């Protein structure tokens, strides 16, 4: 049909409007090969390797946003906000001789010195201490000032054993075995050559400047039976005093947690696929693991089923941004939550500070940066460059970390009180409803406005 | 407690880092030294000797007993009937002459810094893992992951060892009198491993650095592990080190072969296109 024939006829006396010419060749664009996918292939065709990046998950997955609270109205008696007490004290590893006692149910997760600058590490430690919370060394060993500034401190025992020192283990308040992390389950850590400075290399016994791709398996144990013995060894090493935590990337959570529980740790930490990273293959961060809302629920069920609830604490991390996420994670079954990138954002990540020039330095506007792996962090957080590090004032940063942690706790209380709890740990799945079928199925809570939980044979509550 | 400095953070801490002591890293500022005490490291006297029988004791009790004796200043301890219990002698963080009159289970003498240990029997998996300093000598055979992530000291097994020995090694010396299994020296970073017998597949796979000396045959080399020329320094060092433990290379140290890192994986991004296949 010609263009002419299809044009509507103008009424007499009315001026005929010019219609833009239709492009009969434009059928739309591919859902599969979107412009960014096309660009990705172009880049990889030149690079000949996978692409690295830092930061968080890029794609949309069922998430805490897909859940909502069902606060008290007439069926529940609400607790007065800001006035009546709502307990936030959190005890991790209650069976241990010296459990980890936190004032709030959130602490700073393990992020290595190397990935983070000295200023970032110490600011996190100081902020956490002010908030009555804890930090964790991460990979690559202890920096003494982090230990000194952290009132409560996890020491990480990671596959690579970079910088692992038994003297430092004896200084720890808890030991965390890194077995996996949510953003790249099944893989070891990464630190690109730019960040492997002389100092970082010396701490890790590596040649300076190499691209460090850490092992994915521990050197001295291979399966859960050996792990149980390894846990015992570390208990011997630390005098059977402090909690031992196993950090798992969320994959086959129900089975993994039951196996982990058999190793008799004090705490199990589950890292959802939302989890951030300092450096990882982009594809791994997008395409490994399961979402937090599914992982927490499965982990709690596993602990219940093996009779370890109340004995082994459950910690969740991955994509926690605010007190609502925190409260939802607790309601789904976590005893505490750890935060990574949200704390870095409190430090200044992605903030358009005066000294930084994001478009020129990183090629993106502030708010869109994910380039932690380059070591060129324009706000001094994920860099070892002395000039860039000066852009982070650790004194002010520590205060921001404290403010943020405190806010998370207060926001969490807000939901707990509204749901009629005098203790944030009393939040429960019954306080939640799902806004999507996926969230209902994964978190095993009913769809909002119904009693129907997707995936339950009788379509009722979990 | 020394004053914590909250100001001038850019200039503090890491810049005062120093490597000192035996092999432990002391990072902190001397002025703030009292902020750190190393718990669990005792002053002992080698001339103060004692022994006890571990037959009816749990591994926890044996370790507590060792610590208790060290806290009383005992510097030479002999343990009879260790009974291949796991995790015996872990995390001893001071000098000590320790003798096990028998065999150890998994993780024997792991995480130690300083003691001289003599094991008259065999050891299970992961003996002396993450050892920082000292010597551990085993008269018979050892299990897998022998000396995993070793950081310093000498770890000697006069018999055969299992697979993955010296995995993730970061320093120190491992000597194997007999043969070793597959993946030995996997991802080795520093240090030296001496194998007087044969080695299994993938010797030195993905090693970053360090040196493997092998007197026997190996089934295959791992990715990025290459043979290199022995130098006179290598020969002298080997001769001296082996003589300390009464060991000999079967065909003489001159015929020992030396394996080092090809260093191609150091910066994978910079490899030539044809070299990238290395990791397939
Ligand atoms: C910069 C950075 C460095 C990290 N380094 C480590 C590490 O050394 N060891 C580790 O177990 N996890 C590491 N992680 C992962 C975190 O511990 C945690 O699993 C994750 O960040 C949680 O997700 P979130 O960032 O969304 O809160 C790192 C994460 C970031 C962002
Ligand atoms: S601003 Fe720094 S910490 Fe934030 S994403 Fe960019 S490089 Fe990473």
């Amino acid at each position: 049909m010609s263009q002419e024939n299809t044009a509507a006829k103008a009424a007499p006396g009315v001026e005929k409007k010019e219609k833009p010419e239709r492009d009969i060749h434009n059928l739309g664009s591919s859902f599969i090969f979107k412009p960014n996918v096309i660009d990705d292939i172009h880049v990889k065709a030149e690079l000949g390797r996978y692409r690295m990046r830092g930061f968080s998950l890029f794609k949309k997955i069922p998430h805490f946003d897909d859940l909502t609270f069902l606060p008290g109205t007439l069926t529940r008696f609400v607790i007065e906000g800001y006035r009546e007490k709502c307990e936030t004290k959190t005890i991790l590893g209650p069976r241990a001789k010296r459990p980890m006692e936190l004032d709030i149910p959130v602490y700073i997760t393990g992020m290595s010195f190397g990935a983070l600058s000295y200023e970032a590490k110490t600011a996190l430690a100081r902020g956490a201490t002010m908030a009555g919370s804890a930090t964790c060394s991460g990979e690559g060993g202890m920096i003494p000032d982090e230990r000194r500034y952290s009132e409560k401190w996890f020491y990480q025992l990671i596959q690579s054993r970079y910088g692992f020192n038994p003297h430092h283990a004896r200084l720890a308040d808890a030991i965390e075995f890194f077995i996996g992390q949510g953003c790249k389950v099944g893989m070891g850590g990464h630190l690109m050559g730019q960040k492997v400075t002389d100092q970082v290399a010396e701490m890790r016994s590596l040649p300076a400047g190499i691209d460090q791709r850490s092992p994915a398996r521990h050197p001295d144990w291979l399966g859960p039976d050996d792990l149980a013995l390894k846990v015992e060894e570390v208990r011997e090493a630390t005098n059977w005093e402090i909690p031992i935590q196993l950090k798992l990337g969320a994959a086959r959570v129900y089975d993994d947690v039951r196996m982990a529980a058999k190793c008799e740790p004090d705490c199990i930490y589950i890292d959802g696929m939302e989890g951030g990273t300092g450096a990882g293959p982009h594809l791994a961060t997008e395409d490994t693991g399961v979402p937090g809302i599914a992982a927490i629920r499965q982990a709690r069920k596993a602990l219940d089923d093996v009779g370890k609830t109340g004995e082994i604490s459950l910690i969740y991390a991955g994509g926690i941004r605010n007190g609502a996420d925190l409260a939802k994670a607790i309601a789904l079954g976590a005893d505490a939550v750890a935060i990574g990138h949200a704390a870095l954002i409190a430090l200044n990540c992605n903030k358009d500070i005066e000294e930084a020039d994001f478009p020129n330095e990183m090629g993106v506007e502030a708010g869109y940066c994910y380039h932690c792996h380059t070591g060129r962090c324009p706000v001094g957080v994920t860099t070892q460059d002395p000039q860039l590090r000066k852009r982070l004032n650790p004194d002010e940063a520590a205060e921001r970390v404290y403010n943020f942690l405190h806010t998370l706790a207060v926001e969490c209380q807000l939901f707990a009180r509204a749901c009629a709890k005098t203790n944030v740990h009393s939040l429960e799945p019954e306080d939640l409803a799902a806004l999507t079928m996926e969230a209902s199925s994964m978190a095993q809570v009913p769809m909002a406005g119904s009693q129907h939980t997707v995936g339950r044979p009788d379509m009722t509550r979990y | 407690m020394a004053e914590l400095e909250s100001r001038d953070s850019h200039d503090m801490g890491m810049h005062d880092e120093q490597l000192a002591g035996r092999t432990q890293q002391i990072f902190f500022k001397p002025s703030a030294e009292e902020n750190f005490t190393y718990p669990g490291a005792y002053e002992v006297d080698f001339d103060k000797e004692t022994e006890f029988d571990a037959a009816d004791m749990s591994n926890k009790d044996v370790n507590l007993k060792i610590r208790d004796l060290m806290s009383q200043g005992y510097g030479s301890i002999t343990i009879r009937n260790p009974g291949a219990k796991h995790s015996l002698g872990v995390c001893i963080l001071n000098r000590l002459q320790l003798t096990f009159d028998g065999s150890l289970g998994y993780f024997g003498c792991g995480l130690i810094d300083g003691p001289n240990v003599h094991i008259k029997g065999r050891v299970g998996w992961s003996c002396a893992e993450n050892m920082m300093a000292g010597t551990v000598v085993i008269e018979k055979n050892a299990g897998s992951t022998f000396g995993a992530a070793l950081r310093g000291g000498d770890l000697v097994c006069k018999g055969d060892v299992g697979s993955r020995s010296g995995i993730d090694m970061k320093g120190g010396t491992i000597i194997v009198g007999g043969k070793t299994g597959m993946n030995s020296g996997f991802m080795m970073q520093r240090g030296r491993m001496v194998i007087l017998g044969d080695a299994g597949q993938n010797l030195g796979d993905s090693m970053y650095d360090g040196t493997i000396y092998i007197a026997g045959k190996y089934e295959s080399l791992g990715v990025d592990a290459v043979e290199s020329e022995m130098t006179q320094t290598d020969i002298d060092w080997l001769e001296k080190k082996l003589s300390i433990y009464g060991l000999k290379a079967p065909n003489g140290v001159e015929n020992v072969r030396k394996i080092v890192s090809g260093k191609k994986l150091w910066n994978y991004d910079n490899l030539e296109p044809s070299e990238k296949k290395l990791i397939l």
Side-chain angles (χ1 to χ4, degrees):
Chain A
M1 229 192 305
S2 78
Q3 292 279 329
E4 239 167 276
N5 290 344
T6 54
K9 277 199 174 147
V14 178
E15 206 180 313
K16 191 178 164 189
K17 262 199 198 149
E18 267 308 312
K19 268 208 154 187
E21 202 151 295
R22 203 164 74 188
D23 181 1
I24 61 165
H25 303 294
N26 187 357
L27 286 171
S29 62
S30 169
F31 165 69
I32 304 293
F33 293 101
K34 293 180 180 159
N36 61 336
V37 176
I38 292 171
D39 186 49
D40 182 47
I41 296 175
H42 288 155
V43 171
K44 285 194 277 207
E46 280 174 27
L47 272 181
R49 63 171 167 84
Y50 48 79
R51 296 175 75 184
M52 300 290 292
R53 69 168 176 80
F55 208 47
S56 183
L57 187 72
F58 281 9
K59 73 180 177 192
K60 166 126 182 62
I61 57 166
H63 186 246
F64 295 102
D65 280 346
D66 301 322
L67 300 175
T68 185
F69 278 104
L70 303 176
T73 37
L74 289 179
T75 58
R76 303 277 196 287
F77 176 82
V78 298
I79 305 301
E80 197 67 53
Y82 313 112
R83 290 180 194 86
E84 284 177 286
K85 186 93 186 128
C86 180
E87 193 55 72
T88 56
K89 201 168 185 60
T90 302
I91 298 189
L92 302 179
R95 284 189 305 185
K97 198 164 158 195
R98 279 200 282 136
M100 177 73 92
E101 290 185 17
L102 309 178
D103 291 347
I104 55 175
V106 50
Y107 76 90
I108 309 286
T109 184
M111 293 180 277
S112 64
F113 169 72
L116 298 192
S117 64
Y118 168 80
E119 289 71 19
K121 279 298 263 180
T122 49
L124 290 173
R126 289 159 62 189
T129 297
M130 282 191 251
S133 184
T135 59
C136 171
S137 66
E139 187 169 26
M142 172 183 101
I143 54 168
D145 289 330
E146 181 193 29
R147 168 65 279 205
R148 192 181 298 152
Y149 284 129
S150 301
E151 200 186 326
K152 318 249 164 64
W153 182 68
F154 286 86
Y155 188 39
Q156 202 169 57
L157 185 107
I158 195 161
Q159 291 96 324
S160 61
R161 301 291 156 80
Y162 292 139
F164 191 84
N165 185 328
H167 293 275
H168 298 167
R170 293 296 290 266
L171 293 172
D173 299 303
I175 303 277
E176 177 177 88
F177 282 59
F178 176 105
I179 297 170
Q181 78 185 92
C183 81
K184 40 180 176 176
V185 188
M187 287 168 224
H190 295 76
L191 197 67
M192 296 297 99
Q194 306 90 307
K195 291 172 109 172
V196 186
T197 57
D198 288 347
Q199 193 171 55
V200 172
E202 189 48 42
M203 277 180 76
R204 300 184 183 212
S205 317
L206 283 168
I210 64 154
D211 292 333
Q212 173 230 297
R213 289 176 166 85
S214 310
R217 282 194 307 260
H218 278 257
D220 53 350
W221 59 270
L222 297 179
D225 294 336
D226 322 340
L227 173 58
L229 296 176
K230 177 75 193 170
V231 168
E232 200 178 282
E233 183 213 14
V234 174
R235 284 203 194 283
E236 293 288 347
T238 52
N239 258 345
W240 293 81
E241 282 178 359
I242 56 175
I244 308 281
Q245 172 160 308
L246 306 181
K247 173 174 178 175
L248 313 175
R252 293 176 185 84
V253 179
Y254 182 69
D255 291 336
D256 287 337
V257 169
R258 282 188 310 158
M259 284 180 159
K262 279 279 279 182
C263 301
E264 291 292 341
D266 298 289
C267 316
I268 295 176
Y269 173 131
I270 295 287
D271 204 25
M273 77 178 287
E274 300 92 324
T277 181
H282 167 63
L283 279 191
T285 64
E286 295 297 282
D287 292 305
T288 59
V290 299
I293 57 170
I296 303 173
R297 204 72 160 105
Q298 282 193 313
R300 173 52 64 200
K301 181 162 167 40
L303 286 177
D304 286 348
D305 287 356
V306 295
K308 294 289 181 191
T309 291
E311 291 181 23
I312 297 179
S313 308
L314 179 65
I315 291 105
Y316 172 75
I320 299 292
R321 307 153 300 177
N322 53 41
D325 293 348
L326 166 58
K328 287 171 188 175
I330 293 175
L332 289 173
D335 293 308
V337 151
I339 56 166
H341 226 105
L344 303 190
I345 296 172
L347 287 178
N348 263 354
C349 158
N350 265 303
K351 186 165 181 190
D352 198 7
I353 59 168
E354 213 174 294
E355 304 91 314
D357 179 358
F358 274 84
N360 280 323
E361 290 173 338
M362 302 318 273
V364 288
E365 294 288 343
Y368 294 90
C369 183
Y370 54 84
H371 296 91
C372 318
H373 67 293
T374 62
R376 305 295 311 151
C377 177
V379 292
V381 173
T382 54
T383 181
Q384 299 303 319
D385 182 306
Q387 291 311 315
L388 294 173
R389 283 167 50 197
K390 285 192 179 144
R391 296 182 184 178
L392 182 67
N393 178 330
D395 301 337
E396 290 167 13
E399 207 138 306
R400 287 197 299 273
V401 171
Y402 160 64
N403 284 336
F404 182 61
L405 285 171
H406 178 72
T407 307
L408 286 178
V410 171
E411 285 177 340
C412 180
Q413 277 182 319
L414 188 133
F415 291 101
R417 287 192 178 108
C419 291
K421 319 289 187 208
T422 53
N423 187 324
V424 293
H425 298 289
S426 302
L427 284 164
E428 54 196 339
E430 283 70 15
D431 294 317
L432 294 172
L435 300 173
T436 65
M437 306 267 278
E438 289 85 353
S440 169
S441 158
M442 288 185 189
Q444 290 287 288
V445 297
M447 286 290 297
S450 82
Q451 287 294 317
H452 295 165
T453 300
V454 177
R456 298 289 298 163
D458 51 2
M459 295 288 273
T460 55
R461 281 183 173 273
Y462 196 45
Chain B
M1 200 160 119
E3 185 118 323
L4 294 186
E5 290 163 62
S6 60
R7 305 259 149 208
D8 306 326
S9 306
H10 290 286
D11 305 322
M12 63 186 282
M14 299 308 292
H15 309 291
D16 295 281
E17 177 185 340
Q18 44 174 301
L19 293 175
R22 289 186 296 276
T23 56
Q24 64 170 285
Q25 286 161 301
I26 298 183
F27 296 100
F28 45 83
K29 262 191 172 178
S31 64
E33 195 165 344
E34 63 265 42
N35 283 327
F36 280 103
T37 50
Y38 280 125
Y42 304 97
E43 287 289 329
V44 297
D45 175 1
F46 283 170
D47 292 333
K48 220 172 152 188
E49 292 177 26
T50 184
E51 63 171 64
F52 65 92
D53 192 320
D56 296 325
M57 294 170 77
S58 69
N59 47 0
K60 183 177 174 184
D61 288 340
V62 175
N63 286 327
L64 288 176
K65 175 101 183 168
I66 297 172
R67 274 174 212 161
D68 184 40
L69 291 170
M70 292 189 307
S71 72
Q72 295 173 43
Y74 284 99
S76 299
I77 303 175
T78 299
I79 299 174
R80 309 238 173 264
N81 298 311
K85 293 184 180 102
H86 303 310
S87 304
L88 290 191
V90 298
C91 212
I92 295 171
L93 301 176
N94 40 262
R95 303 306 306 270
L96 179 74
Q97 302 286 2
L98 180 63
T99 305
F100 286 101
D101 197 358
S103 297
L104 304 189
Y106 280 29
F107 300 106
C109 300
L111 299 162
I112 55 174
D113 187 13
N116 298 328
V117 186
H118 184 202
I119 299 162
K120 294 191 178 166
R122 301 175 185 80
V123 294
W125 277 35
S126 309
C127 176
E129 61 89 15
N130 215 114
M131 163 166 153
M132 310 278 291
T135 59
V136 175
V137 179
I138 298 126
E139 290 299 330
K140 295 180 180 171
N141 297 337
S144 292
T145 66
F146 183 63
L150 194 86
R151 298 266 306 266
D154 286 357
L155 174 60
V156 182
C157 174
K158 296 196 176 165
D160 298 335
V161 303
S163 59
R164 304 170 205 276
S165 32
I167 179 171
D168 288 356
M169 245 179 110
K170 292 162 177 50
T173 304
I174 292 181
I175 302 176
V176 179
K179 54 181 194 276
T180 165
M182 65 158 192
N183 279 354
S184 293
F186 180 77
M187 287 189 88
M188 181 175 188
Q189 293 171 223
R190 283 184 192 171
R192 297 179 173 107
M193 182 156 150
V194 185
I195 304 161
L196 297 179
D198 298 340
Q201 292 169 350
N202 292 335
L203 181 64
D205 196 287
S206 308
M207 60 196 283
Y208 280 123
D209 216 339
T211 312
I212 301 175
Y213 299 99
I214 176 158
K217 298 186 290 293
Y218 53 79
E219 269 180 58
S220 63
L221 288 182
V223 172
D224 210 18
V226 293
E227 278 208 27
S228 158
E229 283 288 305
M230 285 283 281
T231 64
Q232 194 54 46
T233 318
D234 292 317
I235 292 173
D236 294 346
W237 179 84
L238 268 173
E239 223 153 42
K240 195 164 167 214
K241 201 69 166 176
L242 292 176
S243 70
I244 296 174
Y245 300 102
L247 292 167
K248 276 202 164 74
N251 302 316
V253 278
E254 315 74 48
N255 294 313
V256 167
R257 283 182 293 169
K258 177 177 167 186
I259 316 291
V260 296
S261 169
K263 301 185 180 173
K264 293 232 163 84
L265 291 180
W266 278 22
N267 290 96
Y268 172 68
D269 301 356
N270 301 340
L271 289 180
E272 293 299 315
S274 59
E275 291 175 324
K276 288 188 173 171
K277 288 190 177 166
L278 194 67
I279 59 158
L280 289 182

